[in-house]
Amino acid sequence: MKGLEVLSTGYAKINHILDNQQLEKMVDTSDEWIVSRTGIKKRHISCKNSVDLAIEAAKEAIKNIDQSKIGLIVCATMTPANRMPSNACLIQAGLNLNEQDMMCFDISAACSGFVYAMTIVNSLLKTMDDRYALIIGSEQLSSIIDYQDRNTCILFGDGAGAMVVKNSQHAFYSYQNSAGNQEVLSAKNDPQDYFLKMKGQEVFKFAIKVIPESIDQVLNQAGLTLDDIDYVICHQANYRIIKHVYKKYRCPSDKFYMNLDEYGNTSAASIPLALATMNEKGLIKKGMKLILVGFGGGLTWGATLIEW
Ligand code: UT7
């Protein structure tokens, strides 16, 4: 068994919107600056923590599947509700899945968390017969953002996306990498230095280097070219980063899905949120090949090539 079959997806619907016009009243910025530099028009902000957001996304994902088959819950997050128990254990409880054999844990790999999680889940499921896994990316980033810091508060939003998968013969190729560095992106546990900090230009340069590296790695493993791929779903950080990548490949822009105008950067939630909204719109069909690319704090980066 090679890869994963995606059985279902779901995402949390957050009603409260923080748009650029509201941010203009909070920090020295403008809608024009934010849209032209990032592509972001609004972000969704929730008073729910990353467990409750994850449960909402997961409930939608599991509603039509045999829940007794779920044997693994993995939650990618950098805003866990607690140091312990893990989000994944609390999600298990919130979904009333306590009465069955289950392994639950979180992954901390910032904006690469969902891509890392898929690779771990693909390996683990191979040891678990025909059980299903629930993979979630969930973030309440508003809890670690300084809304007086215009470098960061214009970028980030809250969100959660979930996916149920099982073992299959579908294509699955993955590449991960990391480089220990807390200078360019960090959110520390220090009460005196608590908010997310970012050196934007350095992250930008890092992103436009590692996204093509990650895409090339999985394409080479698969013996495919970008022409064989239906969609590339990059971590939704900045449309200029994504534009740089599709221009480099001389590839049509619509192959690179974007929803960051609507949601901003939701870190580990951004890829599953994109997948769930694409699935809801009917954009993804059985047999399509997708490349998912994550990059962010750690520094971490990587990609998975999957067949839907
Ligand atoms: O999940 C991964 C996390 N992060 C990322 O992927 C972020 C990657 N980096 C970026 O997206 C971009 O670097 C930013 C959007 C963060 C910044 O865009 P930039 O084009 O790199 O702007 P900059 O930092 O070079 O700043 C240009 C100017 C500066 O003013 P001066 O020095 O030229 O007078 C900034 O002070 O824009 C100023 N500026 C702003 N102006 C209005 C910085 N932030 C803002 C703002 N509104 N929010």
Side-chain angles (χ1 to χ4, degrees):
M1 291 202 190
K2 205 167 163 19
L4 299 172
E5 180 180 346
V6 178
L7 299 174
S8 58
T9 57
Y11 67 101
K13 275 110 190 149
I14 302 173
N15 294 327
H16 184 76
I17 304 275
L18 177 62
D19 64 22
N20 293 350
Q21 287 71 22
Q22 288 166 280
L23 281 169
E24 284 176 348
K25 296 183 189 128
M26 296 162 65
V27 288
D28 180 14
T29 192
S30 66
D31 176 52
E32 193 280 327
W33 192 96
I34 301 171
V35 172
S36 63
R37 299 285 179 131
T38 71
I40 299 167
K41 295 180 182 157
K42 52 176 108 149
R43 8 24 239 118
H44 296 233
I45 304 292
S46 180
C47 55
K48 290 185 180 173
N49 68 22
S50 61
V51 170
D52 291 335
L53 290 172
I55 289 170
E56 194 183 327
K59 276 186 176 163
E60 191 186 326
I62 68 171
K63 69 181 180 208
N64 292 323
I65 66 141
D66 179 355
Q67 297 173 15
S68 68
K69 288 196 142 190
I70 298 174
L72 179 60
I73 300 178
V74 178
C75 181
T77 185
M78 67 165 169
T79 50
N82 304 296
R83 289 198 296 278
M84 180 268 288
S86 68
N87 272 13
C89 286
L90 296 177
I91 294 162
Q92 175 187 21
L95 298 176
N96 295 317
L97 297 176
N98 276 338
E99 302 298 323
Q100 60 198 61
D101 277 351
M102 185 80 83
M103 190 192 304
C104 296
F105 59 90
D106 291 354
I107 293 196
S108 172
C111 311
S112 312
F114 195 78
V115 167
Y116 271 44
M118 287 192 78
T119 303
I120 293 165
V121 164
N122 189 43
S123 301
L124 263 181
L125 271 190
K126 300 293 174 276
T127 68
M128 297 173 69
D129 298 326
D130 60 350
R131 302 298 295 276
Y132 297 170
L134 172 60
I135 319 174
I136 305 159
S138 183
E139 302 282 13
Q140 190 194 26
L141 293 173
S142 56
S143 67
I144 58 161
I145 294 299
D146 176 359
Y147 284 95
Q148 296 181 334
D149 176 8
R150 69 177 183 173
N151 290 310
T152 53
C153 73
I154 56 136
L155 297 174
F156 296 96
D158 300 335
M163 180 189 265
V164 179
V165 295
K166 69 170 188 178
N167 280 322
S168 81
Q169 298 292 340
H170 290 186
F172 188 94
Y173 298 92
S174 75
Y175 167 73
Q176 280 82 37
N177 213 333
S178 67
N181 175 315
Q182 61 173 346
E183 302 311 313
V184 301
L185 256 177
S186 68
K188 297 180 181 165
N189 247 342
D190 176 354
Q192 310 299 324
D193 181 16
Y194 184 74
F195 293 121
L196 186 146
K197 299 269 176 351
M198 183 185 73
K199 292 185 179 163
Q201 285 191 4
E202 289 186 42
V203 180
F204 196 101
K205 285 184 209 146
F206 156 72
I208 60 173
K209 174 174 168 289
V210 301
I211 296 172
E213 172 190 312
S214 305
I215 292 173
D216 290 346
Q217 284 280 345
V218 289
L219 284 175
N220 288 343
Q221 286 175 36
L224 298 174
T225 71
L226 213 44
D227 290 340
D228 302 309
I229 304 300
D230 296 286
Y231 284 109
V232 180
I233 297 132
C234 291
H235 165 50
Q236 303 286 304
N238 185 323
Y239 95 96
R240 287 192 296 132
I241 291 175
I242 296 174
K243 183 174 167 193
H244 195 280
V245 179
Y246 67 68
K247 291 226 158 194
K248 178 182 161 69
Y249 285 104
R250 297 172 199 275
C251 164
S253 60
D254 55 3
K255 188 169 280 205
F256 283 69
Y257 182 76
M258 280 192 254
N259 64 6
L260 51 79
D261 57 333
E262 166 74 27
Y263 294 100
N265 179 341
T266 58
S267 190
S270 89
I271 291 173
L273 181 59
L275 288 170
T277 53
M278 290 172 81
N279 201 19
E280 186 180 60
K281 289 178 190 160
L283 292 175
I284 318 180
K285 310 253 184 308
K286 283 276 164 225
M288 279 188 168
K289 291 191 178 61
L290 313 179
I291 294 180
L292 318 177
V293 192
F295 60 90
L299 296 166
T300 56
W301 65 100
T304 52
L305 190 162
I306 61 168
E307 188 182 331
W308 200 258

